[in-house]
Amino acid sequence: MAMTMKLTSLLVCSDVPTIQVLRRMLEDLGIKVESCGELSVAAERIEERHYDALLVDCEGRPAASELIAQARNSEANKSTVAIAIVGPYDAPGNISAQKPNFVLYKPISKERAANSMHAACDLMRYERRLRPRVPVQANTSITYDDQENVPAALLDLSDDGLSLIHISEPTRQAE
């Protein structure tokens, strides 16, 4: 009888409403959540053990996005699915340089995060794959729903998949 390992995540955030929404959503998806508000403590944890997902609140904290780079460079977390959480006024270029798999924009609501978190969960399961991915850096475009030629960055390729991120800036509402 085969046993399946439970997926794990490290949520690096000190914003209580964001923690509440993401913790509930991750637990509903069957993902164990470890929370940490301190960047230095999170950096130590990344070096010590593997996480299937790393969710980092980067709003107003440029150093927070460096955790994603640290995870990518650590032996234990090379294939960790990285999710950057940003505020409406954070510069997208600073975040995309760290190559997160997903970007969630605040304020986080269950409805706004649902699609990304379901896709992230699928990717986490897939990251436990047998075939390695080759890192690449290339600009490309994608088409989905009623959107055509949406700018994206290609991050890696394998025999049966690829990783890319949407690189457009979010629409900002007038105040």
Side-chain angles (χ1 to χ4, degrees), residues 111-174:
E111 295 77 26
R112 290 181 69 191
N115 289 338
S116 293
M117 293 311 301
H118 283 285
C121 187
D122 290 343
L123 185 57
M124 282 181 256
R125 288 185 179 98
Y126 186 71
E127 284 299 325
R128 293 184 175 192
R129 64 182 160 266
L130 300 173
R131 294 188 176 112
R133 289 203 173 178
V134 177
V136 295
Q137 290 183 350
N139 291 327
T140 187
S141 64
I142 57 174
T143 300
Y144 60 92
D145 293 331
D146 61 347
Q147 305 283 327
E148 291 188 21
N149 296 319
V150 177
L154 183 61
L155 303 177
D156 61 44
L157 294 168
S158 75
D159 289 342
D160 55 0
L162 60 91
S163 174
L164 54 84
I165 61 170
H166 181 260
I167 58 174
S168 292
E169 193 170 323
T171 304
R172 303 220 169 126
Q173 296 180 0

Side-chain angles (χ1 to χ4, degrees), residues 5 27 34 39 44 73 82-83 86-87 89 91 101 108 120 123-124 137 139 143 146 153 159 170 172:
M5 292 175 33
E27 289 173 349
E34 213 178 287
L39 296 176
E44 290 173 13
N73 292 323
I83 302 167
V86 298
Y89 302 107
N101 299 90
I108 305 285
L123 185 57
M124 282 181 256
Q137 290 183 350
N139 291 327
T143 300
D146 61 347
D159 289 342
R172 303 220 169 126

Side-chain angles (χ1 to χ4, degrees), residues 39 57-65 85-91 95 106:
L39 296 176
D57 185 353
C58 300
E59 183 177 31
R61 301 189 308 175
S65 66
I85 303 163
V86 298
Y89 302 107
D90 287 323
I95 304 304
K106 286 184 175 182

